[in-house]
Amino acid sequence: MENDYDGFAEAYAAESENSLINAYYTRPAILNLAGDVAGRRILDAGCGAGPLFESLRERGAIVTGFDASAKMLELARKRLGDDAALQVADIGAPLPFPDGAFDDVIAVLVLHYLEDWTAPLAEIRRVLKPGGRLIMAVNHPLLFKLVHPDSDYFKTAKWSDEYTFNGRKAVLTYWHRPLHAMTDAFTAAGFRTAVISEPHPAPGAHERFPEELAGKTAFLSFLFFVLEA
């Protein structure tokens, strides 16, 4: 099975807890884009082991989370408590939520696993209230070209990369799409692109990861969007 997070859930959760790419780049950037979330109903789509859910909840949001990996949700329950609104669901399938149920949907590093964004974006749009926001991050489209210099940037293409999470090897398979294909998909689903962000690492990152960040102000990894329904 592709991208079987059940198989390396604990290793991934442990690795991403304090890593540069997750703790000092992706999560702070998402929280920054979300701004003041107190009292907002937020759906954490692909919530994993729940670190972002926890941060949003601490900031006063009313958070619901889902993930396709039952093992990830088990870790999220341990972290968030039995009363946390968590369920198994797949972003590629109809979502188990009513129309207009959320002020924001946050989808971090989820959509780049899917070849077709049409149905997922339509479902996200459905569960958002009018004027609600989709805040998301996916692989930066230049990443594929950097890893595979001979590839065609303009084609939607499948690619894989090997990682080591907390000492455990794992292969993740993605779908590359050029930037215009992303923004076209957003528009077709009824979203207006409000923000496109290529963030810098969070404060403290340079002190904590001096070797990785030596001589760099920022790095190319993910592309972040705020879209309005």
Side-chain angles (χ1 to χ4, degrees):
M1 179 184 159
E2 261 174 25
N3 303 319
D4 177 19
Y5 272 93
D6 277 355
F8 53 84
E10 284 179 10
Y12 179 84
E15 176 81 23
S16 63
E17 188 66 34
N18 298 302
S19 68
L20 170 61
I21 205 86
N22 299 95
Y24 284 83
Y25 173 68
T26 310
R27 288 200 294 273
I30 289 287
L31 292 167
N32 191 30
L33 289 169
D36 179 6
V37 295
R40 292 182 76 83
R41 297 161 305 156
I42 300 182
L43 178 62
D44 186 357
C47 63
L52 188 61
F53 185 121
E54 186 175 57
S55 295
L56 292 164
R57 190 171 70 177
E58 282 167 0
R59 286 163 171 77
I62 301 143
V63 193
T64 301
F66 74 84
D67 202 278
S69 163
K71 186 74 190 156
M72 279 291 196
L73 287 180
E74 205 178 292
L75 296 172
R77 281 216 181 282
K78 276 186 198 158
R79 176 185 202 122
L80 302 165
D82 289 339
D83 58 343
L86 293 165
Q87 57 183 301
V88 175
D90 186 343
I91 199 158
L95 298 176
F97 309 107
D99 295 2
F102 301 101
D103 298 303
D104 301 309
V105 173
I106 293 182
V108 181
L109 315 183
V110 177
L111 285 170
H112 55 208
Y113 294 128
L114 305 178
E115 180 179 9
D116 189 358
W117 286 7
T118 311
L121 286 174
E123 270 297 275
I124 290 169
R125 175 82 183 73
R126 179 185 69 75
V127 302
L128 273 172
K129 70 171 197 187
R133 302 177 301 172
L134 168 56
I135 303 166
M136 59 176 268
V138 289
N139 281 335
H140 198 293
L142 287 181
L143 208 58
F144 175 63
K145 192 71 181 158
L146 290 171
V147 177
H148 301 283
D150 299 332
S151 63
D152 181 353
Y153 168 81
F154 292 99
K155 276 203 174 110
T156 298
K158 194 178 191 181
W159 66 290
S160 296
D161 214 351
E162 187 173 272
Y163 301 87
T164 303
F165 298 125
N166 211 33
R168 185 170 178 144
K169 282 199 173 1
V171 174
L172 292 178
T173 299
Y174 307 109
W175 284 91
H176 159 78
R177 47 176 50 71
L179 179 58
H180 73 267
M182 296 184 193
T183 55
D184 286 354
F186 301 150
T187 305
F191 287 101
R192 186 182 79 80
T193 303
V195 181
I196 299 178
S197 173
E198 295 169 316
H200 284 55
H206 282 83
E207 291 75 19
R208 180 135 189 188
F209 303 95
E211 285 170 27
E212 290 100 315
L213 293 173
K216 292 179 184 168
T217 53
F219 54 86
L220 207 59
S221 184
F222 306 131
L223 194 55
F224 295 75
F225 297 93
V226 179
L227 310 167
E228 290 168 0

